Amino acid sequence: GAVVSQHPSRVICKSGTSVKIECRSLDFQATTMFWYRQFPKQSLMLMATSNEGSKATYEQGVEKDKFLINHASLTLSTLTVTSAHPEDSSFYICSARADSVMNTEAFFGQGTRLTVV
Amino acid sequence: GNSVTQMEGPVTLSEEAFLTINCTYTATGYPSLFWYVQYPGEGLQLLLKATKADDKGSNKGFEATYRKETTSFHLEKGSVQVSDSAVYFCALLMDSSYKLIFGSGTRLLVRP
């Protein structure tokens, strides 16, 4: 299957700083990318959907000014957690879909564990 | 709204035991159904999928059948291995949306 690479896999940052997480589709063009947040022992919560070249669509309750998403190319989307606080500590996972066909498989990155101290 | 309900874990089995993880869904239309697996510290991997009623998805000895009449997509494996220990997520995808809707996940622990 296609490969989605997420970087970094782990990051520790100080409270008040910003952290950028990258999500790259390595061997296909991702027209749509998704960002999820996963709390310990819980399911994935969709944060936002991003389409290349347009603004991301955020799910209800997700602060768009805090979680900045950029999808500047067909192979790269970034999530920036701005002014991070300890409650932002979580496992963040991206996924990418190759085209607009409904049943096209979504490929997931390895995830990024963010710890804010 | 659309939703997925999975049995709560953890599920603890001995090696070579039979596995069933229940999954039911609620949807206004005809979704595609998926099982994803997450190994410790990793992202999700697609395990199997079914796109229409009565389809059976299978991979690595795991199977699930799309049952429209019972709105279910239960995951089964005849003989589990220690390496199957992971968290399993059932998910649906509606034709009207690109968004995967996940169940809460079921942790499987297989003991030698």
Side-chain angles (χ1 to χ4, degrees):
Chain A
V3 178
V4 174
S5 177
Q6 195 172 332
H7 178 79
S9 58
R10 294 178 180 273
V11 59
I12 300 173
C13 71
K14 291 185 178 181
S15 187
T17 61
S18 296
V19 174
K20 180 183 285 188
I21 303 170
E22 291 187 349
C23 180
R24 294 182 184 271
S25 56
L26 296 187
D27 50 6
F28 67 98
Q29 293 186 327
T31 52
T32 306
M33 288 188 172
F34 305 87
W35 287 96
Y36 295 84
R37 181 174 179 175
Q38 185 180 31
F39 293 96
K41 299 184 179 180
Q42 295 188 29
S43 188
L44 284 77
M45 181 190 79
L46 180 64
M47 299 173 66
T49 303
S50 73
N51 292 293
E52 184 265 338
S54 62
K55 289 185 178 180
T57 302
Y58 289 82
E59 296 298 301
Q60 191 173 9
V62 178
E63 298 176 63
K64 62 181 179 182
D65 294 332
K66 179 165 189 62
F67 299 100
L68 300 179
I69 292 172
N70 182 277
H71 193 162
S73 76
L74 285 171
T75 58
L76 174 64
S77 176
T78 60
L79 167 67
T80 301
V81 183
T82 62
S83 187
H85 291 285
E87 56 265 30
D88 298 326
S89 298
S90 192
F91 194 58
Y92 294 87
I93 305 176
C94 71
S95 74
R97 189 182 305 281
D99 56 35
S100 61
V101 175
M102 288 299 126
N103 294 328
T104 302
E105 179 180 345
F107 299 96
F108 285 79
Q110 310 94 314
T112 297
R113 183 160 303 284
L114 170 64
T115 303
V116 184
V117 297
Chain B
N2 303 316
S3 65
V4 175
T5 302
Q6 283 181 245
M7 60 187 292
E8 285 191 23
V11 174
T12 303
L13 296 173
S14 298
E15 204 166 22
E16 299 184 0
F18 184 85
L19 168 71
T20 299
I21 300 178
N22 290 338
C23 171
T24 57
Y25 67 90
T26 301
T28 53
Y30 302 98
S32 295
L33 300 173
F34 304 81
W35 276 101
Y36 283 86
V37 58
Q38 183 180 33
Y39 296 101
E42 298 184 14
L44 274 69
Q45 301 174 27
L46 178 65
L47 181 59
L48 53 85
K49 68 178 181 182
T51 59
K52 61 182 187 298
D54 299 326
D55 269 1
K56 177 186 283 188
S58 61
N59 185 27
K60 300 181 181 179
F62 290 90
E63 291 184 342
T65 301
Y66 189 143
R67 301 286 188 199
K68 181 182 171 184
E69 62 276 13
T70 54
T71 62
S72 65
F73 193 54
H74 304 322
L75 182 68
E76 297 182 336
K77 186 174 185 181
S79 177
V80 293
Q81 305 300 312
V82 173
S83 57
D84 293 328
S85 298
V87 180
Y88 293 82
F89 291 93
C90 186
L92 68 81
L93 179 69
M94 291 302 302
D95 285 346
S96 59
S97 167
Y98 299 107
K99 304 174 187 177
L100 277 167
I101 297 172
F102 287 90
S104 55
T106 303
R107 183 175 300 275
L108 170 66
L109 177 61
V110 181
R111 300 189 185 280

